[in-house]
Amino acid sequence: MRRNASITLLAVGHACVDIYQGAVASLVPFFVAERAYGYAAVSGIVLAASLLSSVAQPVFGALTDRRAMPWLLPVSTLLGGLGIALSGVSGSYALTLAFVAVSGVGVAAYHPESARVARLASRGSHSAMGWFSLGGNLGFAVAPLMVAAVVAAGGLRLTPLLVVPALVGSVLCLPVLRALERKRSADPGPAPVAGRDDTVSFVKLSFAVVCRSVVFVGLSTFISLYAKQRMGGGAAAGTAALFVLYLGGAVGSVLGGGLAGRWGRVTVSRWSYLVTVGAVAGVVFVPGPALYLFVALTSAGLYVPFSLQLTLGQDYLPTRVGTAGGITLGLTVSIGGLVSPLIGSLADAMSLRTALAPLILMPAVSWLLFRTLPEPTVPPSATAARQKGDDSDGALSPAPPDHR
């Protein structure tokens, strides 16, 4: 199987899984309308999904560092979809909470191992990893449309139909896993030297990702309301701002991989965060329709480093790539999301503009942290293995070092 075909299948599968991350928040209005859940009840549902999805990822990452678990891709995809599909079947709040939590566990189990498999299939290509990340971003963005199309037509009783993307995603990953297994069986090759873990750089990277998450989660939570205030429009003004935020992220994910191939991941990420400082300032302070331009620049600036940070984390912890993926994709995002209630409280006490102004500092902190990070070097044996994969007509190369 050629590299592009493998990454395409994995990217679509990634989209199918991340649909269920976005589906939880999309179901909230229907839970309120049909079951009269209060704010505390729906907050509990969202919290159950987000915390389990994010905090459990490092746990699954540590497990996959001990033993390769490619079977987690189809199983966790089905688990993520099944939980959301069953969430609307029972009127019991406890069961709804349990089903959403099951979906969160499925999402958590998927990401560390899928990141390892995607990196193997990409053979070190930053551009290919960018496409893999794009799949997840698109899945998250499509979730509100899918939920509205299904549930608005017939209510929560139709949520079992939401399992369809999970069925598709679980099937699409199978050819990639079979090709990987055939390649390993035919030519296992010597295990490349992993190199040493650079824990200090990984911790700095993690703090930079937390700052990035604070900005993106804060804007995605409040940009609709802010756009309505600034533009003096109705719901359409807020919806447009949110759409631009997601669209800019999709563009940034693909752009980051291409730029990193030319200038390096650390350099591209550093400059991207510097640009984002000005873009967030524009969102907060520049009036009129220019708001949408700065929202797009902010989103692209935040997502250019997205896939680059994943591979950087894996290179800083070459003996624990599963743990690195779980932390950069999961735990740091969860920590960033905890700041949203603080932004909301400040907005209630003062104004939404005042509450969003501190977000300007977050990409500046990420920029400062990236100024201290080195560009990881690939061990010679790993470089040879990668070159061997490139010479095999696109077949998947032997696994990168993970010392399971």
Side-chain angles (χ1 to χ4, degrees), residues 62-77:
L63 291 175
T64 58
D65 280 335
R66 298 177 63 87
R67 179 181 296 275
M69 300 179 181
W71 54 267
L72 271 179
L73 270 66
V75 172
S76 60
T77 301

Side-chain angles (χ1 to χ4, degrees), residues 160-241:
L161 294 177
L162 299 178
V163 79
V164 172
L167 298 175
V168 174
S170 63
V171 171
L172 289 179
C173 70
L174 297 179
V176 180
L177 299 182
R178 284 196 296 264
L180 169 60
E181 185 59 32
R182 285 197 300 268
K183 180 61 181 177
R184 284 180 171 173
S185 300
D187 183 17
V193 179
R196 295 181 178 180
D197 289 343
D198 185 353
T199 306
V200 173
S201 293
F202 182 77
V203 170
K204 292 178 181 178
L205 173 71
S206 298
F207 277 117
V209 178
V210 167
C211 292
R212 175 211 170 274
S213 174
V214 169
V215 179
F216 186 78
V217 175
L219 287 180
S220 62
T221 302
F222 297 105
I223 192 63
S224 293
L225 296 174
Y226 190 63
K228 288 168 62 177
Q229 289 181 8
R230 297 300 304 277
M231 299 299 295
T239 302

Side-chain angles (χ1 to χ4, degrees), residues 35-76:
R35 300 179 181 176
Y37 287 167
Y39 291 130
V42 295
S43 295
I45 292 174
V46 175
L47 187 64
S50 61
L51 283 184
L52 278 172
S53 172
S54 300
V55 177
Q57 283 190 43
V59 177
F60 283 102
L63 291 175
T64 58
D65 280 335
R66 298 177 63 87
R67 179 181 296 275
M69 300 179 181
W71 54 267
L72 271 179
L73 270 66
V75 172
S76 60

